[in-house]
Amino acid sequence: MTGKMSTLKRCTSPNVYAEVPDGGWGWLVAAAFFFVEVFTYGIIKIFGIFLQDLMTDFNETNSRVSWVVSICVFVMAFTAPLSTVMSNRFGYRPVVMLGGLLISLGTITTALTNSITEMYITMGIVAGLGYCLTFLPTVTILSQYFSKRRSLVTSIASTGECFSLVLLAPAMNALKEQIGWRNCLIVIGLMQASIIVCGALLKPIVIKPKPAAPEGSTCPLKEPETKYDLENENTCTSIGSVDSGVQSVTSSQINLSEGQESTEQEKKALKEKVEEEQPVLPKTPLEQDQEELSISKPKLLDFSVLRDASFNCYALFGLFATLGFFAPQLYVIELSVSRGVSRDSATYMLSAMAVAEIVGRLSMGWILNRRPIRKIYILLICTVLLCPVLVIFTFVTEFWGLMSCSCFYGFLLGTVASSHIPMLAEDDVIGIQRMSSAVGVYVCIQSFAGLAGPPIGGFLIDRTDNYGSAFYSCAAGMGVGALFLGLVRPAKSGLCLWRRRKDQQTTDRDSSSQGSDDVPADFVEMDMEADNSPAKSKPWPV
């Protein structure tokens, strides 16, 4: 029984490392994140295979059915602060396991709905909340297990949604034709229950640096008993000390020259000093764990990140850039058909886009893993390149031209999508210490673009009767996002340093005003320089 309890304690206790391991248990966390990506973002991306069946069975329009995905994405992003609060309060593991349960429950109950309105609740709200509780805690704890390899490992693990689009979409489409869309959703819901197992693998991590070894001591820690022991204790110092016992020896010589007189007050003060130097008993493991938890326990939700200018610029980048993440996946097939490409051939655009996105994610991880490199500049270059690619979509009129644009877009989308959230852990943005709170606020701000992006594109298409207009709006949003991303580094370095210099000047001005009014500051500085001159500082001969 004792062995089972100790095994259970090891499984539930956090992993303690002297430094960030860049591996170890982190590889299991990376595998868990891969499968979380498969069954969260991956399922959202392949949900389009059920749209036609839902329109037929419920006799609904395309726009009303599409709101199922929009509500799900909005709830997933808007409730990100709730995920942060729960993770900081209860830990990452129970939150992710609860999210997996909600996802599975929401998907299975969606198969039992009788109207599209009920689906807004089951798939949009219940499953959407589960997606939020699952994705953000997993990517946050993965960033804590890795430092040097963080970008590469995160990029590899985030390819789960791409593999879902390439492999799971055709498999589920074939299964749907055999057993129907309702039974197919039940199968997907049961598969999503595996997220609970992935959540169980997310062991918390504690970084506890090893205490520095003492330089050395020439005397043991014992309670002195005699007058000579007390004096030896006074003269006993470490090897690396400054005075090396010279002062104590000198005082001993003076006392001996004065006849070795010692008053009762001196003895009492010496005993008190010895009592203060007594060794402290080591703390029990329970007290150490409580102290570690009290020190490392973060705030439930830290909105102070909104006072950081660099974070605000980065959040605005995420808000506008997210507008460019929807149009190609939603409208590339219809755009290709309107340009004379057959519908069967147009479906290859999504497959090519998914494969190119995998290559982009892996390439971004490899590039960001190289040192020295300013990671935020690489993200800025990829974001800027997305703008002309989105515009070129509206000019090409043949299959291979659209296929090339799809490949370029998928590659660049993979570089941005795999790095924009882990980039919060970099010191150029917010840093790893405040990432847990920052990621919740960041994704919450992003949610408004996720809710507004598809309706804006649909509105422009209805007004212009041209699918290319949606790509123009995405390019405009991506361009504004690139502008704010370019301001992150100046806000972190230039503006902050300017404010710091201004505060320093104010402090110096206040301190100088507290000095003497009769003597100017320049004269004080001259006197200080004169006192520090070699002539003044030269000791008198003895």
Side-chain angles (χ1 to χ4, degrees), residues 4 24 58 101 119 121 129 163 185 259 282 335 342 376 408 429 446 504:
K4 294 181 179 179
F58 294 143
L101 179 62
M119 198 172 289
I121 299 175
L129 180 60
F163 279 101
L185 280 177
L335 176 68
S342 64
I376 197 169
F408 278 115
V429 184
Q446 257 191 317
Q504 184 66 29

Side-chain angles (χ1 to χ4, degrees), residues 71-94:
I71 293 174
C72 181
V73 173
F74 175 74
V75 172
M76 176 183 179
F78 185 74
T79 55
L82 175 62
S83 174
T84 300
V85 170
M86 294 182 64
S87 298
N88 292 336
R89 177 64 180 86
F90 303 106
Y92 298 108
R93 178 184 291 167

Side-chain angles (χ1 to χ4, degrees), residues 317 320-321 324-325 364 375-392 408-409 411-413 415-417 419 471 474-487:
F317 149 72
F320 287 100
F325 291 167
M364 189 65 166
K375 300 179 181 180
I376 197 169
Y377 290 156
I378 304 298
L379 179 61
L380 177 60
I381 293 173
C382 296
T383 306
V384 171
L385 292 177
L386 271 170
C387 299
V389 173
L390 287 168
V391 174
I392 294 173
F408 278 115
Y409 174 82
F411 178 83
L412 294 173
L413 177 66
T415 60
V416 176
S419 59
F471 289 81
C474 291
M478 195 68 68
V480 177
L483 177 63
F484 282 108
L485 182 60
L487 295 175

Side-chain angles (χ1 to χ4, degrees), residues 397-419:
T397 57
E398 58 180 9
F399 173 81
W400 289 111
L402 291 169
M403 179 64 74
S404 300
C405 289
S406 299
C407 292
F408 278 115
Y409 174 82
F411 178 83
L412 294 173
L413 177 66
T415 60
V416 176
S418 63
S419 59

Side-chain angles (χ1 to χ4, degrees), residues 38-39 42-51 53 107 161 163-192:
V38 171
F39 295 116
I43 298 300
I44 292 176
K45 285 188 174 183
I46 70 171
F47 193 78
I49 65 177
F50 302 106
L51 293 182
D53 299 288
T107 306
E161 61 180 276
F163 279 101
S164 179
L165 191 61
V166 174
L167 302 178
L168 201 59
M172 290 298 105
N173 191 30
L175 183 64
K176 176 177 68 74
E177 299 296 332
Q178 297 294 327
I179 63 176
W181 68 270
R182 292 183 182 273
N183 293 328
C184 186
L185 280 177
I186 293 177
V187 172
I188 292 177
L190 294 176
M191 294 172 61
Q192 288 176 322

Side-chain angles (χ1 to χ4, degrees), residues 105-164:
L105 180 64
T107 306
I108 292 175
T109 53
T110 299
L112 307 177
T113 55
N114 297 317
S115 66
I116 200 68
T117 304
E118 295 177 359
M119 198 172 289
Y120 291 160
I121 299 175
T122 57
M123 189 69 182
I125 298 179
V126 177
L129 180 60
Y131 289 142
C132 174
L133 298 180
T134 301
F135 174 76
L136 291 181
T138 310
V139 71
T140 302
I141 195 172
L142 179 63
S143 300
Q144 296 175 1
Y145 269 96
F146 291 90
S147 177
K148 297 178 181 179
R149 302 174 180 174
R150 182 186 300 145
S151 300
L152 180 61
V153 173
T154 305
S155 299
I156 296 174
S158 66
T159 58
E161 61 180 276
C162 304
F163 279 101
S164 179

